[in-house]
Amino acid sequence: MKVAVAGLGYVGLSVAALLARHHDVVGVDVVPSKVEIVNAGRSPIQDSELDQALSSGALSLRATCDSADGYADADWIVIAAPTNYDTTTNFFDTSAVEAVVEAARAVNQGATIVIKSTVPVGYTARLREQLGDRNILFSPEFLREGKALYDNLHPSRIVVGCDAEDAAQKAKADEFAALLAEGAEDEDVPTLVMGSTEAEAVKLFANTYLALRVSYFNELDTYAASKGLDARKVIEGVCLDPRVGSHYNNPSFGYGGYCLPKDTKQLLANYEDVPQSLVGAIVEANRVRKNFVADEVMDRVMRIVFEEGRAPLVGVYRLTMKSGSDNFRASSIQGIMRRLQEHRVPMLVFEPTFDGGSYFGHEVTHDLDELKNRCDVIVANRWNGELADVQDKVYTRDLFGRD
């Protein structure tokens, strides 16, 4: 079986590695440096299992920037192109997905196309109708940053969406689900084949529930901090109830990263003509939490201004969303930075994976000692033991030392 995967980010590269365990896979990407890194047997993204898999030589995987080369003789074309949220239209920008479909069909009319990019509810069915192309499926991904290959090898479930009333499409959906299951290391993975619109809804509702949990424990923490309570004790007591559990319960500066911010906003946009209050509250709760955190930091800043008569330098410890990730996109600490910037607070950013000289106009350093020595307050979304010697300077809401 020959598979082409369009897009070598977290989703595309991990799916390519999964399928390349048993089939010939070509990864297609417009960024030459990514292609070179993959062909050299390394991962262009931070994921230890991907690095190990690519360097092992056990995968039948190559990469190219030439779409015709990648798509021409493929049996399956998996699309993992980016779909960023467009705040003007309140919908995902699906132009990259459509560009891949156009390029693929220009050289290959027979391959089954599977969209793995996150899209609005109803998008795949509309695309099939618009193009008159019945051979397009949707399969959502459920991956964590830094754990993308692991989550493909050990999936919580496999979901494939098709036109459930079309027997040929249903057969193709079953076949693709079997390909994913074949690459997984776990047996008897729960598999659901459903309508493509339902599958799109599964993705958005799943991520919105995770955002809800993050927001809930953040608001618990905001209450505890405001009222002088021990937030850790309260959270531990709440989470010992097995119906609640202890996952996604560590307070943070807000939910962020590749998926949760845009997926919650997209789901809210899909509710345009449907009564709701909870989904909108989740989106608003994230904004309120960032305001609270920024206000707390500003309290420290102003205390130094009044007591010492000078403007303090605020340090930002890491731009990444999670420990073990190299993703800056929509990380919650950037929301804090923007709010501090409105108050013209000078900042120094410590981010060893960023090679630019400045970020949002703020100086960036790779030297942790420089951050510790120069900064009066250090803002950290996630605690790290390397900050222990300057703990009195650190502002964080991380209670459990994990994501």
Side-chain angles (χ1 to χ4, degrees):
M1 195 77 70
K2 294 185 177 181
V3 183
V5 177
L8 293 176
Y10 279 98
V11 177
L13 187 56
S14 62
V15 170
L18 176 83
L19 296 175
R21 301 180 78 202
H22 300 286
H23 302 282
D24 294 330
V25 178
V26 180
V28 181
D29 201 284
V30 297
V31 180
S33 60
K34 279 188 180 181
V35 168
E36 291 171 8
I37 291 170
V38 171
N39 285 334
R42 304 193 313 274
S43 172
I45 58 178
Q46 192 168 319
D47 186 312
S48 58
E49 295 222 11
L50 267 174
D51 266 325
Q52 185 176 354
L54 290 169
S55 63
S56 69
L59 303 180
S60 180
L61 172 64
R62 67 179 179 88
T64 181
C65 289
D66 185 344
S67 59
D69 172 38
Y71 305 144
D73 61 350
D75 301 297
W76 297 88
I77 298 172
V78 180
I79 301 178
T83 51
N84 296 325
Y85 189 77
D86 187 328
T87 55
T88 302
T89 64
N90 287 331
F91 278 97
F92 288 126
D93 178 0
T94 56
S95 58
V97 173
E98 286 137 29
V100 173
V101 173
E102 182 179 358
R105 285 298 185 236
V107 296
N108 188 331
Q109 293 291 319
T112 300
I113 292 175
V114 182
I115 299 172
K116 273 208 162 280
S117 307
T118 307
V119 296
V121 176
Y123 173 80
T124 306
R126 288 194 299 271
L127 186 64
R128 282 197 298 261
E129 182 177 356
Q130 175 188 333
L131 299 179
D133 191 333
R134 305 292 300 163
N135 210 8
I136 302 176
L137 310 176
F138 175 76
S139 178
E141 52 82 15
F142 307 100
L143 309 176
R144 296 168 295 171
E145 293 174 25
K147 296 285 187 180
L149 181 56
Y150 180 90
D151 288 343
N152 265 314
L153 293 173
H154 306 279
S156 58
R157 71 280 206 198
I158 293 170
V159 177
V160 184
C162 61
D163 181 343
E165 297 181 0
D166 184 320
Q169 265 201 49
K170 173 67 165 55
K172 283 292 185 181
D174 288 334
E175 187 178 349
F176 186 71
L179 288 177
L180 296 179
E182 177 188 35
E185 293 183 349
D186 296 345
E187 296 182 0
D188 301 321
V189 178
T191 300
L192 298 170
V193 172
M194 60 183 71
S196 56
T197 302
E198 284 78 9
E200 291 158 352
V202 166
K203 168 66 174 177
L204 295 184
F205 275 99
N207 275 347
T208 300
Y209 176 75
L210 297 178
L212 168 65
R213 277 195 67 103
V214 172
S215 299
Y216 174 84
F217 286 104
N218 279 343
E219 289 209 350
L220 186 162
D221 179 66
T222 295
Y223 179 87
S226 299
K227 299 295 184 180
L229 306 180
D230 186 332
R232 181 176 182 132
K233 295 293 185 185
V234 177
I235 291 173
E236 287 175 343
V238 169
C239 292
L240 283 173
D241 186 326
R243 296 169 298 180
V244 177
S246 59
H247 56 287
Y248 272 69
N249 70 344
N250 190 24
S252 66
F253 292 169
Y255 61 77
Y258 280 116
C259 295
L260 299 193
K262 63 188 181 79
D263 288 6
T264 52
K265 291 175 183 176
Q266 177 63 83
L267 184 59
L268 180 59
N270 275 112
Y271 264 96
E272 184 178 16
D273 57 352
V274 178
Q276 66 80 30
S277 59
L278 182 58
V279 178
I282 295 167
V283 174
E284 175 65 8
N286 208 41
R287 186 188 68 82
V288 170
R289 174 63 170 183
K290 290 175 183 178
N291 287 344
F292 170 78
V293 170
D295 288 346
E296 290 263 288
V297 176
M298 281 304 302
D299 283 346
R300 291 197 177 195
V301 169
M302 295 310 296
R303 196 177 308 135
I304 295 172
V305 170
F306 287 126
E307 291 178 358
E308 301 182 22
R310 61 182 181 86
L313 180 65
V314 172
V316 175
Y317 176 78
R318 305 304 306 270
L319 295 169
T320 51
M321 185 58 220
K322 295 182 177 182
S323 54
S325 169
D326 57 1
N327 170 37
F328 302 164
R329 189 165 69 185
S331 64
S332 56
I333 202 162
Q334 292 182 52
I336 309 307
M337 290 178 66
R338 283 192 293 271
R339 286 159 173 80
L340 296 179
Q341 197 164 13
E342 290 174 1
H343 295 281
R344 299 185 179 181
V345 173
M347 285 175 263
L348 173 66
V349 179
F350 169 71
E351 181 47 69
T353 68
F354 182 73
D355 292 328
S358 66
Y359 194 82
F360 287 152
H362 300 289
E363 182 185 354
V364 177
T365 181
H366 294 180
D367 186 345
L368 182 58
D369 286 334
E370 182 181 10
L371 183 86
K372 293 177 179 179
N373 293 331
R374 289 179 56 189
C375 296
D376 302 280
V377 179
I378 298 174
V379 181
N381 183 48
R382 285 292 175 240
W383 171 259
N384 189 294
E386 63 186 8
L387 297 172
D389 58 330
V390 289
Q391 187 168 0
D392 58 325
K393 292 185 178 183
V394 177
Y395 177 87
T396 184
R397 299 310 306 167
D398 183 352
L399 301 180
F400 299 104
R402 55 172 168 75
D403 290 319

